């Protein structure tokens, strides 16, 4: 059994976010991290590897620096990595991205005993679309919002969260599962993993490598091929700086209440 | 000469940084307050393989070298001085065994370390601190075994529940003393006559287990000899450089934590309608602290790098330890000053760090001893 | 060739996927239908609700009352509970035959599972978590004037453009992007519950709504997952989305969690009744259950008053509450980002300040 884990390198937005004058994000000002939900997906795969001795392959679509992230995941326990990277893939929306990733996973030999784990959503795009769309492209069932995954011989039993409860869902391989943070606690890299990770394989798949895959058509990838485009982007006008109330505890409390009363809010 | 880290070292730093922030830092305050050693951290550290950092590959370690060791200790020390001290001592013990042990000993004790079992280095005695040659613990051969008798004190990684084995330096020949009269023994805690005595109630690094070790007719087999009979002092000294570099790294980490706290506080604290960091006096303090800290870090890295390249590193190790320790104490003191009254209150972490740093200029070779080593090297 | 790449002009009407669970319609449907009504009127087309379930027909009328001209009902035992495979197949079958121009889905845990799957199968674009929708360019320009710093005089705009303009926040709202799907139909969009406003209910409209049963063709082989059981959380979930006043707690209450939450509850009461929310830190620490979480991976709220106690203001949190009418923040650290978006900020110890505020309110009342 092989488990492909889709991971994305995203800007670390837990600190402040810097925006360029033209309204686009100043990505260079932020450190990059592995998308948190994807780490839960990786941990789930590694837990299954501990149990079943299966193979775990980390897959990412991104620029060359994303390789460092794959090496870290290999140091955590993944067996190999796939870096999907090509100029032709740039500017892809979720539809195009999922198509490319599906093609790469297919190219790597996705079989009926295999699984794909994804994080539920990325903290930069926030769409939660790529996972389900990869499943559709590969024509395999999906289970999203997985808070528990159990392998019982030939089937997987998954606790799928709802807003006010959950569903227990049974599914067989091949399938795709999207993971949420409640699923598990992440393990760390090991020193052994760190010293050996550069000896494990990371395959780079570019357009030349994937172009003959049935899922790749030049007019459905990249910026040009994406069904959705950005029409306009803008920064909302900064909410006018508020007022800091200062003074003694009593005074500031009173001032706040007066202002709220004046604005008819209480 | 390059200050560029290898890719593996960068990953190591990331690992230890994440681990320290998530697992170690949250427990630091409680550890200091209760004086109880956080053994659960040791188990987790073992799982990541951190205790194998300086263990040779054939014994399951990764042998990443001195620079890597410095990087790791530095990150841990930023989070918690007690944990850093435990780790530095453990690596010292591993290092001595790796250099002087035979295959069975390396297999057994390096293996134990990587499982998360703590080892201690028992040299110091009430009458033998800087003057290590004055030790009085004896090891008498009775035909079958060696019988150890004596009292060791201030032994790190030894506590009511902490510590599973110790390297004990004892006199096998009272006449010869340091000139061939001492022998190093690997002694398991479970042996009869190995008694952990009083656990010290300390000013700082309060979570670190530091205790008396009483050897009462403790019987050890010949196979317990580490190295050779009469070479005990040599065995003890073999860990010196590496041990000093480890403490220097610890000092740098603690100093860095102190500086970070002082910096943050100075930006936050408003007096006379402005943040105190806008005052030139405070700015000068911060500049001096940052500069000295960087110098300490570089001295430490250089000593570590020399060791990795198998070059003589004795003088550099002493310089690093001496300078980093003194600097850490100075920086912690200045940091408290910058915090004003709040620096004196236990709610603020700098209060703990101030107490933690004070031991740095004393143990693992006092500043005075380090200066003697440096002078000797200069004058030869 | 895809079913939709030939003549996109043949696609008409605004459709809304109407989610039901256990025979009850989700509130978000009414919000979406109301919005769809506005859009349909701009286009002079119909609003059609798409309802799936088992014995679901009786719910259709209510959708009409909020503005649906027609409701297509697909009923089958296999549709009683949501499964990706069954719902995707049925929906895509209907959509491919009927060719709607726009298809809206509520971004519930189910909508977010269903939407992308359908979009992929239909080979069309999907924009998630939209906060604003426009078809008419004049309305869109007005929207830009009110909410952006763009210099509209310098922009070349095709005022006849009838693409659905879907605006959504990225990076927690630091960036707003308007997305279009010019070459494919239907244009799909998901919207978070509580973001759009529900319109007025009209009994007349409900009566006039045309209800059409659509045949469901599902075979057992179509379903590749089995729902073993559905468990409802017995504890009452906190209703953050409907609340007018929310007082949230973060790491800053760590010193005395119980007291901190108590203070938050009392403050909400003092402000006229409200609920307690939490940052992710508070939920992760176990101080509050997940239904209290406000933020990027929690709920998006737009209350009248939002109070942030001991919350730093990282965008993971502010993404979920920055559109509140009045934001009040209390934090020990003057330099923390929450004060950048607060209308009123107080730097100090919340354990002292909150009781003082409650006292001040009580003093005014007497």
């Amino acid at each position: 059994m092989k488990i492909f884990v889709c991971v994305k390198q995203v800007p670390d937005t837990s600190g402040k976010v810097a925006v360029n004058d033209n309204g686009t994000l100043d990505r260079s000002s932020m450190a990059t991290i592995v998308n948190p939900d994807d780490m839960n997906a990786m941990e789930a795969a590694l837990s299954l590897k501990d149990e079943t001795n299966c193979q775990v392959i980390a897959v990412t679509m991104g620029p060359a620096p994303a390789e460092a992230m794959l090496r870290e995941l290999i140091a955590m326990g993944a067996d190999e990595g796939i870096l999907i990277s090509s100029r032709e893939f740039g500017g892809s929306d979720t539809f195009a991205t999922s198509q490319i990733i599906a093609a790469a996973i297919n190219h790597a030999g996705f079989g009926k005993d295999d699984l794909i784990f994804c994080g539920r959503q990325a903290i930069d795009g926030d769409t939660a679309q790529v996972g389900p769309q990869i499943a559709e492209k590969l024509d395999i069932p999906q289970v999203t919002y997985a808070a528990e995954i159990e392998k019982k011989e030939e089937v997987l039993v998954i606790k799928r969260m709802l807003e006010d409860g959950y569903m227990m869902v049974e599914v067989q391989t091949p399938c795709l599962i999207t993971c949420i943070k409640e699923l598990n606690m992440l393990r760390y890299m090991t020193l052994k993993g760190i010293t050996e990770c550069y000896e494990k394989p990371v395959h780079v798949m570019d357009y030349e490598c994937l172009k003959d895959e049935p899922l790749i058509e030049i007019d459905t990838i990249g910026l040009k091929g994406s069904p959705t485009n950005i029409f306009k982007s803008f920064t909302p006008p900064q909410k006018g700086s508020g007022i800091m109330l200062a003074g003694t505890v009593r005074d500031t409390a009173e001032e706040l209440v007066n202002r709220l009363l004046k604005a008819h809010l209480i | 000469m390059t200050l560029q880290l290898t890719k593996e070292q960068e990953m190591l730093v990331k690992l230890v940084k994440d681990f320290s922030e998530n697992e170690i830092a949250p427990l630091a305050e409680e550890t200091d307050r209760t004086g109880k050693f956080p053994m659960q951290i040791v188990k987790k550290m073992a799982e990541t393989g951190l205790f194998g950092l300086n263990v040779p590959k054939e014994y399951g370690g990764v042998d990443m070298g001195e620079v890597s060791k410095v990087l790791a200790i530095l990150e841990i020390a930023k989070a918690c001085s007690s944990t850093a001290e435990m780790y530095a001592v453990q690596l010292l013990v591993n290092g001595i065994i790796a250099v002087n042990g035979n295959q069975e000993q390396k297999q057994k004790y390096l293996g134990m370390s990587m499982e998360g079992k703590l080892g201690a280095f028992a040299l110091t005695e009430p009458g033998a601190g800087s003057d290590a040659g004055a030790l009085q613990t004896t090891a008498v051969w009775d035909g079958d075994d060696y019988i150890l008798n004596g009292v060791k004190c201030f032994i790190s990684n030894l506590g009511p529940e902490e510590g599973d084995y110790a390297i004990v330096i004892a006199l096998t020949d009272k006449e010869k003393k340091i000139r061939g009269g001492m022998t190093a023994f690997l002694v398991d805690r479970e042996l009869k006559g190995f008694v952990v005595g009083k656990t010290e109630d300390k000013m700082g690094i309060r979570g670190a287990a530091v205790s008396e070790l009483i050897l009462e007719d403790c019987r050890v087999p010949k196979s317990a000899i580490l190295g050779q009979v009469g070479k005990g002092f040599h065995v003890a000294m073999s860990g010196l450089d590496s041990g000093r570099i480890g403490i220097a790294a610890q000092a740098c980490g603690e100093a860095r934590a102190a500086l970070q706290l002082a910096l943050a506080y100075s930006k936050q604290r408003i007096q006379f309608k402005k943040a105190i960091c806008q005052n030139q006096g405070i700015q000068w303090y911060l500049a001096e602290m940052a500069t000295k800290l960087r110098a300490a870090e570089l001295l430490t890295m250089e000593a570590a790098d020399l060791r990795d390249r198998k070059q003589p590193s004795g003088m550099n190790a002493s310089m690093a330890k001496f300078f980093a320790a003194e600097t850490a104490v100075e920086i912690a003191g200045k940091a408290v000053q910058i915090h004003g009254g709040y620096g004196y209150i236990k709610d603020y972490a700098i209060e703990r760090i101030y107490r933690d740093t004070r031991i740095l200029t004393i143990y693992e070779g006092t500043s005075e001893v380090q200066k003697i080593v440096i002078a000797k090297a200069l004058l030869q | 060739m895809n079913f939709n790449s030939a003549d996109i002009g043949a696609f008409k009407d605004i459709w809304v996927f109407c989610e039901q669970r256990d025979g009850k319609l989700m509130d978000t449907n009414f919000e979406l239908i109301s919005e769809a009504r506005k859009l349909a009127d701009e286009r002079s087309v119909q609003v059609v609700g798409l309802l799936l379930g088992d014995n679901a027909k009786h719910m259709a009328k209510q959708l009409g009352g909020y503005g649906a001209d027609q409701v297509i009902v697909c009923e089958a035992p296999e549709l009683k509970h949501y499964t990706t495979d069954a719902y995707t197949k049925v929906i895509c079958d209907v959509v491919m035959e009927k060719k709607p121009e726009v298809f809206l889905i509520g971004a519930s845990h189910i909508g977010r599972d269903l939407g992308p799957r359908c979009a992929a199968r239909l080979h069309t674009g999907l924009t998630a978590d939209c906060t604003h929708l426009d078809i008419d360019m004049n309305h869109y320009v007005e929207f830009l004037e009110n909410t952006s710093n763009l210099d509209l005089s310098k922009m070349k705009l095709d005022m006849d453009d009838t693409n659905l303009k879907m605006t959504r926040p990225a990076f927690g709202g630091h960036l707003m992007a308007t997305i279009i799907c010019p070459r494919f139909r239907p244009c799909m969009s998901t919207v978070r519950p509580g973001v759009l406003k529900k319109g007025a209910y009209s009994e007349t409209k409900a009566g006039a709504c045309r209800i059409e049963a659509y045949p469901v063709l599902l075979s057992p082989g179509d379903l590749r997952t089995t729902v073993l059981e559905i468990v409802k959380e017995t504890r009452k979930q906190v209703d953050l989305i409907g609340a007018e006043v929310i007082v949230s707690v973060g790491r800053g209450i760590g010193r005395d969690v119980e007291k901190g939450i108590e203070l938050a509850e009392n403050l909400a009461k003092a402000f006229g009744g409200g609920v307690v929310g939490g940052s992710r830190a508070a939920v992760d620490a176990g101080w509050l259950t997940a239904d209290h979480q406000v933020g990027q991976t929690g709920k998006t709220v737009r209350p009248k008053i939002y109070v942030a106690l001991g919350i730093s203001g990282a965008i993971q949190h502010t993404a979920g509450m920055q559109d509140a009418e009045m934001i009040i923040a209390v934090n020990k650290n003057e330099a923390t980002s929450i004060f950048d978006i607060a209308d009123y900020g107080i730097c100090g110890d919340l354990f002292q300040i909150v009781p003082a505020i409650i006292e001040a309110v009580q003093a005014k009342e007497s």
Side-chain angles (χ1 to χ4, degrees):
Chain A
M1 174 170 80
K2 293 194 291 288
I3 307 181
F4 292 86
V5 183
C6 298
V7 292
K8 185 178 181 190
Q9 207 174 37
V10 295
D12 183 1
T13 52
S14 59
K16 288 202 174 191
V17 171
V19 180
N20 294 319
D21 293 327
N22 66 3
T24 56
L25 211 70
D26 181 8
R27 283 176 186 260
S28 62
S29 70
M30 294 177 282
T32 57
I33 55 171
V34 180
N35 182 50
D37 282 357
D38 300 350
M39 287 298 275
N40 294 101
M42 177 53 73
E43 174 59 36
L46 293 174
S47 293
L48 270 177
K49 182 180 169 183
D50 290 338
E51 257 176 68
T52 64
N53 207 24
C54 62
Q55 259 223 310
V56 173
I57 302 163
V59 181
T60 192
M61 183 166 115
E67 191 200 323
M69 171 185 68
L70 293 176
R71 296 289 175 195
E72 278 175 27
L73 295 169
I74 293 174
M76 262 175 86
D79 297 288
E80 41 184 282
I82 296 176
L83 172 63
I84 307 165
S85 189
S86 208
R87 212 178 15 92
E88 290 84 348
F89 300 150
S92 294
D93 70 355
T94 60
F95 184 93
T97 299
S98 56
Q99 190 154 299
I100 296 164
I101 296 177
I105 292 177
N106 201 41
H107 191 77
F110 184 71
K112 63 176 177 53
D113 293 322
D114 298 337
L115 291 168
I116 304 177
F117 285 3
C118 302
R120 173 199 41 180
Q121 73 193 54
I123 60 176
D124 55 358
D126 264 341
T127 65
Q129 286 171 203
V130 172
Q133 293 190 329
I134 293 174
E136 174 63 20
K137 298 289 176 203
L138 292 173
D139 193 20
I140 58 178
Q142 75 194 39
V143 181
T144 58
Y145 285 86
E148 266 170 37
I149 302 175
E150 207 191 317
K151 189 163 200 300
K152 286 182 166 166
E153 283 155 34
E154 296 310 310
V155 301
L156 290 148
V157 176
I158 297 161
K159 182 179 185 184
R160 189 245 194 256
M161 296 312 287
L162 296 168
E163 291 88 335
D164 57 353
Y166 60 88
M167 279 183 180
M168 294 307 288
V169 178
E170 191 184 275
V171 68
Q172 287 182 307
T173 63
C175 70
L176 180 142
I177 301 175
T178 79
C179 307
I180 56 178
K181 74 167 195 270
E182 285 78 357
L183 180 57
N184 50 37
M185 291 284 287
L186 309 174
R187 68 187 65 189
Y188 293 94
M189 294 185 273
T190 62
L191 256 60
K192 203 147 192 277
I194 289 173
T195 52
E196 289 172 1
C197 68
Y198 277 90
E199 290 157 30
K200 301 255 167 87
V202 167
H203 312 282
V204 179
M205 295 189 184
D206 61 4
Y207 175 68
E208 280 308 307
C209 170
L210 293 175
K211 68 179 185 203
D212 295 323
E213 280 287 320
L215 282 166
I216 296 285
E217 305 150 35
I218 188 69
D219 56 353
T220 57
I221 60 169
L223 186 64
K224 291 232 170 89
S226 299
T228 60
N229 305 126
I230 298 182
F231 184 58
K232 293 274 169 276
S233 72
F234 52 94
T235 36
Q238 290 299 18
K239 201 174 162 92
S241 251
I243 306 173
M244 292 296 291
L245 303 174
T248 64
V249 167
R250 216 180 189 168
D251 288 341
T252 46
E254 241 189 82
E255 201 190 329
L256 176 66
V257 172
N258 285 337
R259 284 173 181 265
L260 290 175
L261 282 168
K262 217 164 133 210
H264 300 290
L265 285 166
I266 54 172
Chain B
M1 177 189 92
T2 176
L3 294 171
Q4 181 68 30
L5 299 182
T6 65
K7 290 205 266 260
E8 287 83 356
Q9 284 169 337
E10 280 174 359
M11 290 171 79
L12 173 68
V13 171
K14 183 159 195 286
L15 163 62
V16 184
K17 192 160 185 289
D18 283 346
F19 189 89
S20 299
E21 279 170 18
N22 295 332
E23 309 289 338
I24 300 178
L27 297 179
E29 192 256 327
E30 190 190 324
T31 299
D32 174 71
R33 197 166 25 91
T34 60
K36 201 166 179 324
F37 185 70
M39 276 308 276
Q40 67 267 45
I41 292 181
V42 174
K43 190 170 184 293
K44 288 188 184 174
M45 283 173 74
E47 281 164 16
T48 63
L50 275 168
F51 291 112
L53 185 60
N54 66 346
V55 170
K57 292 207 171 107
E58 54 264 46
Y59 297 98
V62 294
D63 209 0
M64 280 180 84
E66 285 292 287
V67 170
S68 299
K69 185 184 90 173
V70 165
L71 295 168
I73 293 177
L74 213 149
E75 288 301 325
I76 295 174
K78 274 200 284 192
C80 172
S81 318
S82 301
T83 308
E85 202 261 354
M86 172 280 294
Y87 185 57
V89 169
Q90 186 61 43
L91 292 186
L92 167 74
V93 169
N94 285 357
I96 293 175
I97 294 172
V99 166
N100 300 284
N102 59 37
Q103 201 177 29
E104 287 86 50
Q105 289 168 333
K106 283 193 268 199
Q107 198 107 336
K108 177 175 175 189
Y109 292 99
L110 297 177
M112 279 169 80
S113 173
M114 292 201 298
E115 278 171 33
K117 299 221 155 56
L118 295 181
F121 176 59
L123 171 67
T124 303
E125 294 179 9
S130 293
D131 184 8
L135 68 83
Q136 295 184 310
T137 300
T138 52
V140 177
W141 175 248
D142 80 345
D144 295 309
D145 303 299
Y146 281 91
I147 316 290
L148 269 52
N149 270 294
V151 179
K152 298 288 186 185
C153 68
F154 297 159
I155 307 304
S156 297
N157 284 1
L158 215 55
E161 280 132 36
E162 300 82 358
D164 290 284
Y165 58 99
I167 299 172
V168 178
I169 314 293
L171 279 173
T172 34
D173 185 331
K174 284 194 191 169
E175 304 306 310
K176 291 191 186 161
K177 295 223 174 196
I178 64 172
R179 304 209 176 290
M182 293 180 182
T183 305
F185 295 88
L186 275 164
V187 188
D188 293 341
R189 187 191 184 119
E190 62 207 9
L191 289 179
K192 189 162 178 288
F194 184 110
V195 181
V196 177
K198 174 169 181 260
T199 300
E200 305 295 349
D201 184 12
K202 308 179 297 299
M203 179 196 289
I205 52 165
R206 290 179 49 75
V210 175
S211 310
E212 216 180 14
L213 170 58
I214 303 161
L215 296 154
E216 270 172 354
D217 289 334
C218 182
R219 197 172 265 282
V220 300
K222 210 151 163 220
S223 57
I225 295 175
L226 180 60
Q228 293 172 291
V229 177
K231 296 283 196 208
F233 195 69
H234 180 85
V235 168
M237 296 299 108
S238 73
L240 231 46
D241 289 0
S242 183
R244 284 167 182 167
I245 291 169
I247 300 303
Q250 185 190 336
C252 291
E254 291 176 26
R256 193 149 278 289
L259 176 57
Q260 269 167 10
L261 288 170
L263 214 44
Y265 186 80
S266 71
K267 289 190 214 173
Q268 237 194 304
R269 174 67 175 171
I270 314 261
Q271 284 288 269
F272 305 106
K273 294 199 166 62
K274 58 180 196 260
I276 61 173
C277 66
Q278 296 193 13
N279 297 327
Q280 195 174 56
I282 300 291
Q283 288 178 358
W284 284 6
Y285 277 166
L286 294 169
E288 284 156 8
M289 289 155 80
T291 307
K292 286 187 174 165
L293 173 54
R294 194 64 190 130
E297 284 170 352
L298 289 169
L299 266 176
T300 309
M301 292 291 273
E302 184 187 42
D305 182 60
L306 283 169
R307 263 192 83 75
D308 280 340
R309 290 190 287 114
K310 311 260 190 283
Q311 306 269 298
S313 59
M315 183 183 79
N316 298 79
S318 284
M319 283 179 158
K321 198 273 179 182
F322 157 58
F323 189 77
E326 297 282 341
T327 298
V329 172
E330 188 188 327
I331 287 177
K334 282 250 166 64
V336 169
Q337 191 70 12
I338 290 171
H339 275 72
Y342 292 101
Y344 207 66
I345 309 291
K346 284 185 184 286
D347 288 351
Y348 286 74
I350 192 59
E351 184 271 339
R352 176 185 84 238
I353 296 176
Y354 179 75
R355 285 184 287 107
D356 286 341
T357 55
R358 193 59 192 86
I359 190 65
L360 293 165
T361 59
I362 298 170
Y363 69 3
E364 201 79 33
T366 61
S367 292
E368 292 72 21
V369 164
Q370 306 302 341
K371 283 190 267 190
I372 291 174
V373 172
I374 297 165
K376 243 193 185 136
L378 292 172
L379 293 169
Q380 69 185 170
Chain C
M1 279 263 105
N2 304 309
F3 83 105
N4 58 5
S5 55
D7 174 20
I8 63 172
F11 289 74
K12 232 166 69 114
D13 294 334
I14 314 288
W15 281 35
V16 175
F17 167 67
C18 298
E19 187 185 335
Q20 60 83 19
R21 293 192 204 176
D22 295 321
K24 217 174 154 280
L25 286 170
M26 307 289 281
D27 254 354
T28 188
N29 298 325
F30 310 133
E31 294 160 9
L32 289 179
I33 297 257
S34 305
E35 181 71 17
R37 182 74 265 159
K38 277 193 247 148
L39 296 170
D41 289 342
E42 284 177 15
R43 276 301 255 157
S44 306
V45 294
Q46 306 261 292
V47 172
V48 178
L50 180 56
L51 177 63
L52 273 65
D54 190 27
N55 284 324
K57 214 172 185 160
H58 63 280
M59 296 183 256
K61 197 163 163 221
Q62 202 182 8
L63 297 164
Y66 283 97
D69 297 296
Q70 183 190 13
V71 176
I72 296 175
V73 186
C74 302
E75 290 178 301
E78 294 90 339
L79 298 175
K80 179 161 191 215
H81 296 300
Y82 174 76
T83 60
T84 314
D85 286 337
Y87 273 56
T88 306
K89 179 165 196 304
V90 170
I91 290 173
C92 290
D93 282 350
V94 183
V95 167
M96 285 199 255
E97 191 200 303
K98 303 270 187 180
K99 297 190 165 60
E101 186 186 5
V102 169
F103 188 26
L104 307 178
I105 299 181
S108 65
H109 278 39
I110 281 176
R112 287 170 127 239
D113 179 292
L114 176 64
R117 193 92 196 203
C118 290
R121 189 168 301 184
L122 297 168
H123 195 134
T124 186
L126 170 65
T127 305
D129 291 354
C130 299
T131 52
H132 189 90
L133 300 169
D134 284 300
I135 287 184
D136 182 77
M137 276 304 280
N138 289 300
H139 286 159
Y140 180 63
V141 168
E142 203 182 307
F143 166 67
L144 284 182
E145 274 165 6
N146 291 333
T147 58
S148 82
N149 286 328
L150 290 174
D151 186 353
L152 293 156
S153 60
K154 293 217 172 86
M155 290 167 59
K156 250 179 50 170
L157 294 165
D158 174 7
M159 298 309 285
D160 295 323
D161 178 280
T162 56
N163 277 305
L164 178 65
K165 285 151 280 282
M166 306 169 275
T167 305
R168 70 181 301 266
F171 291 98
H174 276 260
L175 223 47
M176 298 295 282
T178 301
I179 314 288
I180 52 171
C181 179
R183 295 178 296 127
F184 298 90
R185 293 288 178 267
C187 176
M188 291 181 63
S189 165
T190 68
V191 182
R192 280 207 174 192
V195 167
L196 295 174
K197 287 256 159 347
K198 191 166 70 174
Y201 185 82
S202 154
E203 197 55 56
T204 328
K205 282 198 183 151
C209 178
R210 295 182 327 274
I211 300 171
E212 179 191 322
Y214 190 90
V216 170
L217 292 154
L218 278 175
S219 45
D222 289 326
L223 274 68
R224 294 170 295 187
T225 60
T226 314
V227 177
L228 300 172
E229 64 169 324
I230 301 184
V231 176
K232 276 260 170 351
E233 183 67 63
T234 46
R235 188 181 47 86
K236 191 167 182 300
Q237 304 281 291
V238 71
D239 179 18
L240 283 176
I241 290 181
E244 296 242 291
V245 174
I246 299 176
V247 180
S248 284
V249 296
R251 238 185 271 272
I253 65 164
R255 197 168 89 221
D256 188 343
V257 174
E258 218 181 295
K259 189 98 206 345
I261 294 178
E262 192 192 316
L263 285 175
E265 282 166 352
N266 291 340
L267 184 59
K269 230 181 273 178
F271 278 172
V275 294
V276 170
S279 66
R280 181 168 166 162
V283 171
D284 280 354
W287 304 337
L288 292 167
T289 50
D291 52 325
H292 290 269
Q293 188 175 326
V294 172
Q296 224 174 18
T297 49
K299 301 207 179 87
T300 304
V301 295
R302 289 181 169 194
K304 222 174 47 176
I305 301 178
Y306 189 90
V307 186
L309 303 175
I311 294 178
S312 68
I315 60 168
Q316 278 83 351
H317 184 74
T318 60
M321 45 63 68
Q322 64 198 352
D323 289 329
E325 221 178 292
M326 160 75 59
I327 299 174
I328 300 164
V330 181
N331 195 296
K332 225 169 42 168
N333 179 4
E334 207 160 3
T336 196
S337 6
I338 193 77
F339 290 126
D340 293 339
I341 64 156
D343 293 288
Y344 294 120
I346 303 179
C347 176
D349 180 4
L350 66 96
F351 288 98
Q352 295 200 314
I353 290 169
V354 176
I357 298 175
I358 296 172
E359 226 181 279
V361 172
Q362 285 163 350
K364 291 289 174 199
E365 279 173 357
S366 50

